[in-house]
Amino acid sequence: MTLSNRGLKMITLLADGHEEKIDGLVVPHGVPILGWERKPHGWCRGDACIPSFRAAAAETEEGVDLVRFAGLLGRQVVADPDEDVVAVGEPVAPTLGRAPEFGPLAGLRGTKVALVFWASWCGCRYDLPAWEALHRELGGYGFSVVSVSLDRDPQDAREWLADVTHPAVIDADGRIAELYNVINVPTVVWIDEEGRIARPQDTMTATDTFRSMNGLSSERATAALRRWVIDGDAGTALRELRAPTGDERLARLHGRLAAWLFRDDRGAAAERHLARAAELAPHDLAIRRGLMPLNGVDPFGEEYFKLRQELEDSGVAIYRPLSDWHEDTR
């Protein structure tokens, strides 16, 4: 169904890590859409182009249907017409064996990278000094840690980053978690010198602070990391990221809308999107636990342990270490 603009009311568009106001979901002819511009032969962004005959499916007399156009790009959309906000997801990577680029990662080609996802609402925040130590220890071998906080409120992460020298990013809108299909923390991804995935999403710790809860050996994890950095042995894990399902992708968009609405003091609307995200991806703790602080809920309190028990009773794994290095030694 073609969408129409509604009067003069502005809509907030959340896409590509940015927030902007647009006149409606039908974009007037001649206006760029999601970084793409209309050329005589089609819509183009850099060297990539969508031929005119394909783009015609999104074009109307009034303009270009944003939702249909995003679909041509392989990007999902969730719109909330009552709250005048719309979120556009990331495109599915053409190959899951390549590491999606963002921020500092683009400048680290030629370097092995451990992409460490963490959050202040996870005990893994206490591992940051150990990851920093590994960054310094192994830097001479052409290695870097890049840490990514999944905190929705950047201030919650900053105090934990005060003393780090490695590149650090705060993923407040969940875009990087979406690119790498991260559903809980800690999660670590290894990326080789050519920007390829050397090891996909893995639950790794750098200390044994919470070993009694997670059964993970930091000694085994860091030994595996050193073997890769020094000897080039990445283990026997598959060399591509775990692909997200369509429901997981939609859940992240609902989570993005929920975060934006919580920040704008629209709690009831935010909780609707949070509930929908939980229906679509009940196992995604990066959404369900990660949004607790914005909702005034203690992410270390009763609600979290209730959620954890719910998932464990359903047979859903909280931690997902790859089997070639991990051994349950609790």
Side-chain angles (χ1 to χ4, degrees):
M1 179 176 68
T2 301
L3 297 168
S4 298
N5 292 339
R6 297 171 299 140
L8 299 176
K9 203 165 189 180
M10 300 294 284
I11 293 175
T12 299
L13 171 66
L14 309 177
D16 300 319
H18 304 291
E19 174 182 327
E20 65 176 296
K21 295 289 186 180
I22 58 175
D23 290 331
L25 293 176
V26 176
V27 180
H29 292 296
V31 176
I33 305 176
L34 301 173
W36 294 72
E37 296 185 21
R38 189 69 163 91
K39 305 288 185 180
H41 55 286
W43 285 83
C44 299
R45 183 175 185 173
D47 295 331
C49 289
I50 301 173
S52 297
F53 72 89
R54 286 191 59 210
E59 296 176 335
T60 70
E61 291 184 2
E62 293 181 330
V64 183
D65 185 313
L66 174 63
V67 176
R68 287 186 176 179
F69 188 82
L72 294 176
L73 304 175
R75 304 178 70 170
Q76 293 181 314
V77 178
V78 172
D80 188 328
D82 294 327
E83 304 297 329
D84 297 303
V85 60
V86 58
V88 179
E90 299 299 317
V92 175
T95 169
L96 294 169
R98 300 293 302 182
E101 288 196 348
F102 65 90
L105 199 60
L108 289 173
R109 188 61 59 85
T111 301
K112 289 178 179 175
V113 173
L115 196 56
V116 178
F117 291 87
W118 69 283
S120 70
W121 43 262
C122 167
C124 54
R125 66 193 187 279
Y126 293 114
D127 279 12
L128 277 177
W131 287 114
E132 170 69 11
L134 286 164
H135 171 75
R136 297 185 184 211
E137 172 196 339
L138 299 172
Y141 293 93
F143 169 77
S144 177
V145 166
V146 174
S147 64
V148 181
S149 162
L150 299 194
D151 284 283
R152 299 291 184 161
D153 184 345
Q155 193 57 41
D156 291 341
R158 288 191 179 111
E159 65 175 294
W160 300 96
L161 295 171
D163 298 321
V164 306
T165 63
H166 66 259
V169 178
I170 301 173
D171 186 27
D173 67 353
R175 179 172 177 256
I176 303 172
E178 181 180 349
L179 286 170
Y180 283 84
N181 191 26
V182 173
I183 59 176
N184 196 13
V185 286
T187 292
V188 181
V189 177
W190 296 356
I191 302 168
D192 73 12
E193 299 92 331
E194 302 300 321
R196 298 173 302 217
I197 300 298
R199 190 177 193 83
Q201 305 97 320
D202 196 359
T203 305
M204 282 187 161
T205 59
T207 74
D208 287 338
T209 306
F210 293 95
R211 187 169 178 175
S212 62
M213 293 180 63
N214 57 41
L216 301 173
S217 166
S218 65
E219 182 180 357
R220 292 175 64 84
T222 55
L225 179 68
R226 288 187 177 92
R227 284 195 299 273
W228 173 55
V229 173
I230 298 171
D231 301 326
D233 177 11
T236 59
L238 294 175
R239 302 296 196 270
E240 62 179 28
L241 293 169
R242 185 173 55 245
T245 65
D247 281 352
E248 285 175 325
R249 295 173 68 205
L250 279 176
R252 290 195 173 97
L253 289 182
H254 282 284
R256 188 171 301 169
L257 288 180
W260 186 85
L261 290 163
F262 276 131
R263 294 189 195 105
D264 205 45
D265 294 324
R266 302 190 219 177
E271 288 183 3
R272 288 200 310 271
H273 286 285
L274 179 54
R276 181 60 180 144
E279 290 174 4
L280 290 164
H283 57 285
D284 194 326
L285 287 167
I287 298 174
R288 300 184 69 185
R289 189 183 185 189
L291 285 172
M292 285 181 180
L294 290 183
N295 198 20
V297 177
D298 182 359
F300 296 98
E302 181 180 345
E303 285 299 314
Y304 166 62
F305 286 100
K306 179 181 177 183
L307 170 58
R308 181 178 174 131
Q309 191 63 53
E310 167 197 320
L311 295 178
E312 289 177 347
D313 290 346
S314 301
V316 175
I318 302 295
Y319 304 108
R320 302 185 182 201
L322 299 178
S323 60
D324 63 334
W325 70 267
H326 174 67
E327 178 178 301
D328 190 345
T329 55
R330 282 177 291 181

